[in-house]
Amino acid sequence: MKNSMSKTIYILFSIGCIFLLSCSKQLLDIKNQTYKSYNRDNEKGYIVSFEVFNNKIIPKSIVINGIVQNISSANKTDNIYQVNVIAQTSLIHNYQVKFEKKENGIYFEKDSKVFFQPVKFKLITD
């Protein structure tokens, strides 16, 4: 009886480790993920910053507080991305804010497939 219980615990532990390892391979290592709100010159929004160290996976867009903003190559310097997420503006004629009912995170593209990774951005306040 003791032997069968030990085997069961070992099998469950092994399955748990395999599951955690397979999940962690799917998630990207995103560092220094922050955002800061701004309100200036008839425009409101967020400056979002993060680092990604995998050059084969490309950040395509970001979701912050329900607002979606595309990411361009101009937003990248080395491994650091800095994106201006516009929430409201009268400076850009006919600008439409894109909304989405997703948690904060980043859409990535790899091998022509797009996937979403939730990200806990840290709010920076002055």
Side-chain angles (χ1 to χ4, degrees):
M1 178 123 160
K2 241 183 186 181
N3 195 16
S4 66
M5 185 176 275
S6 297
K7 285 181 184 179
T8 303
I9 291 172
Y10 175 76
I11 290 171
L12 290 174
F13 179 75
S14 299
I15 291 171
C17 288
I18 290 169
F19 177 74
L20 286 176
L21 288 174
S22 66
C23 287
S24 65
K25 288 181 183 178
Q26 293 173 355
L27 298 177
L28 294 174
D29 189 23
I30 300 170
K31 300 283 186 191
N32 302 317
Q33 58 272 26
T34 62
Y35 74 103
K36 181 178 181 178
S37 64
Y38 69 89
N39 183 357
R40 63 178 182 265
D41 300 327
N42 296 320
E43 187 171 285
K44 295 178 184 180
Y46 307 97
I47 302 297
V48 181
S49 181
F50 61 94
E51 291 180 71
V52 176
F53 297 97
N54 187 335
N55 291 329
K56 296 177 183 174
I57 299 177
I58 303 164
K60 299 305 279 181
S61 60
I62 191 160
V63 178
I64 190 83
N65 296 334
I67 302 169
V68 180
Q69 183 70 48
N70 291 336
I71 300 172
S72 73
S73 59
N75 298 122
K76 182 181 179 188
T77 304
D78 296 324
N79 294 322
I80 300 172
Y81 289 84
Q82 188 166 350
V83 183
N84 180 19
V85 179
I86 300 171
Q88 180 181 2
T89 186
S90 62
L91 301 175
I92 303 170
H93 184 65
N94 291 330
Y95 183 80
Q96 295 290 319
V97 177
K98 297 179 201 171
F99 295 101
E100 187 169 300
K101 291 182 180 182
K102 261 202 186 300
E103 61 192 309
N104 291 345
I106 303 170
Y107 282 98
F108 291 93
E109 182 178 347
K110 181 180 181 183
D111 301 327
S112 300
K113 294 181 182 175
V114 176
F115 65 94
F116 180 80
Q117 178 170 327
V119 177
K120 292 187 179 188
F121 293 97
K122 179 183 176 187
L123 175 63
I124 297 175
T125 56
D126 290 330

